Amino acid sequence: MIIVRSIVCPATQRLSALRIHSPRRLQYSTAAVPSTTISSGWAPSVALSQLTSELDQISPRFDLKASQIEIIQTPLDFYKTLKSNILNAKSRIYLSTLYIGKEEHELISTIRKALKSQPGLQISFLTDALRGTRESPEPSCASLLAPLITEFGPKRVEIRLYHTPNLTGLRKRHIPKRINEGWGLQHMKLYGIDDEIIISGANLSSDYFENRQDRYHVFSSKDMTNYFERIHNAISSLSYLVQPNLQNSAGYDLVWPATNPCPAPLDNPREYIIHASSVLKSLIQAPKNQSAMSNGTLNDTIVYPLAQFSPLLSPDNSTEYAAIKSVLTLLSKPAFIGSRWVFTAGYFNPVPEITRLLLATKLTRGTVITASPWANGFYGSNGVSGLLPPAYTLLSRRFLERVQKSGKSDAIELKEWRRGTVGEPEGWTYHAKGLWIALPEEENPSITLVGSSNYTKRSYSLDLEINALVITKNEHLKARLGNEVTCLQKHAEKVDIDTFTKPERRVGVVVRLAMWIVGAVGGAL
């Protein structure tokens, strides 16, 4: 595979978790903002305590030192780190992702080399069944991985493909491939190797290793890595198993093994969801008396794993949406006047409640970063998917109209990220998602959310998502978070309502009609 040279943000070059960083102000905007008076005696630590008390009732927590967290800045460094960790693995690798690119032979060669060098090493893959088999019987993600089982055996290599229970019957038979992914996917990105876990929004394919900007946080914690492995294993137990079969033109069979503890989602979706709920509920919710158990820790950073497993839970006890609402609701309180936030999603279409809460925050500056149409992964695509960039343009315009209506145009801005043009030399796409919050009197953010979610209707009703909410008192980690968001904004430019009146940004009736149809038949952007 040819690796395109990655240019590192000048603010920081793959910041090491152990490096001392000089504090740097979080870049929300260069525009002048009216100063806001902050009540005397206010302390960020008080606010963090209030926030963690609420989150302790929602999700499990892990108390870490800031030095256990590394922030990777570029796709190339993400790929280098992933390969290095795989080659040095001693006991376990688990990779949860939407898909592995069907031509990622270098990555597979790296995994093969690791398995050969460590006879005790085991690896488990979890991808999505719709995305992972889309091209079958032509080469696909599933056919790329299946030979590893033949070479190393099913005790060392496991390949699982999750299939949504929302796409069954007539929908399954008649909705075309690629479009059918709008009814739900395995969207988690967890890359666990021995006692270290990378949480990201990036999938495992060449564009994510070269020129598709995302976020990548590395957590060096055995307890956290064990926890996310339990998440990985739980969803794997609710997924189909790949078995190599050279007699099949696709090169594999997709089977529902007898060891799976419930019926397949395509056979009995109702019973499947009932069982999934019983497996997942206790795993993702906060244990009793968690706040009391955590008192007295000497660590300076807390991580809350947040899961959104809406299609598998009845009732829906997912934790991501609840936690985000808790955080943003807190920012709307008078005590938080002067907070700042940056919110980003490559596909910007947050559910209405998140938009409402963002607009309600008592902020001095809020910045939304999203992909420009020319940095959207679907730019130039054939067929229906080619309508997606203008669809997101329309959604961005509607957001700015809401900002204007709320009277916060001076405080909240929208930036579009663009680095060249998709499909042209040096053209990049933008896929980052997350949230950074700097509390009053803080120069850099003490709170960030990183993971797979795009915060959309899909994320909160159809897809499987996993995230980490990081809260820190450590000034060096705050500075590194500030550098992360500064780097992302290097290629982002502010847009306003007038931008969307230009001829090249106008959205036609076909796009508007397609958006309505997708929603009407139960799908989502």
Side-chain angles (χ1 to χ4, degrees), residues 146-267:
L148 290 173
I149 301 175
T150 302
E151 185 173 357
F152 297 101
K155 290 186 178 180
R156 297 189 65 195
V157 179
E158 179 187 58
I159 305 166
R160 293 285 187 150
L161 272 63
Y162 164 86
H163 192 293
T164 177
N166 289 328
L167 189 70
T168 60
L170 292 175
R171 282 180 180 173
K172 176 70 174 176
R173 286 194 291 271
H174 297 294
I175 296 177
K177 289 183 178 181
R178 191 175 180 92
I179 295 176
N180 63 10
E181 296 171 15
W183 275 260
L185 298 168
Q186 191 305 100
H187 201 244
M188 301 186 297
K189 283 84 177 185
L190 295 172
Y191 306 124
I193 301 168
D194 288 340
D195 295 336
E196 191 170 87
I197 176 83
I198 302 175
I199 298 178
S200 179
N203 295 303
L204 302 181
S205 66
S206 58
D207 50 349
Y208 290 95
F209 302 151
E210 299 171 0
N211 54 13
R212 191 166 175 82
Q213 184 64 56
D214 215 299
R215 297 178 67 204
Y216 332 85
H217 284 210
V218 187
F219 299 86
S220 298
S221 165
K222 182 176 181 179
D223 288 342
M224 270 189 66
T225 308
N226 287 345
Y227 174 81
F228 283 112
E229 184 179 37
R230 293 197 294 273
I231 294 284
H232 172 97
N233 290 342
I235 301 299
S236 293
S237 74
L238 302 168
S239 301
Y240 287 89
L241 181 70
V242 171
Q243 293 181 340
N245 181 0
L246 296 179
Q247 305 305 313
N248 186 329
S249 60
Y252 65 90
D253 291 328
L254 204 57
V255 302
W256 191 260
T259 52
N260 280 12
C262 60
L266 296 180
D267 295 336

Side-chain angles (χ1 to χ4, degrees), residues 1-70:
M1 182 173 65
I2 299 174
I3 300 294
V4 178
R5 184 174 180 273
S6 178
I7 300 174
V8 181
C9 172
T12 167
Q13 295 191 357
R14 193 179 172 219
L15 300 167
S16 166
L18 299 176
R19 191 181 304 165
I20 302 298
H21 303 268
S22 58
R24 187 182 300 269
R25 182 174 295 277
L26 182 59
Q27 291 188 357
Y28 289 93
S29 173
T30 57
V33 181
S35 61
T36 305
T37 302
I38 302 172
S39 59
S40 60
W42 195 98
S45 59
V46 176
L48 293 179
S49 296
Q50 185 177 350
L51 178 58
T52 56
S53 294
E54 292 191 18
L55 293 173
D56 280 341
Q57 309 305 312
I58 296 173
S59 166
R61 68 182 268 175
F62 294 91
D63 293 86
L64 306 181
K65 294 181 174 65
S67 59
Q68 292 176 264
I69 302 174
E70 179 183 6

Side-chain angles (χ1 to χ4, degrees), residues 182 212 316 369 385 415 424-425 442 475 493:
R212 191 166 175 82
D316 187 356
I369 310 171
S385 58
K415 292 185 176 182
E424 296 181 2
E442 288 185 333
E475 294 299 329
E493 292 188 2

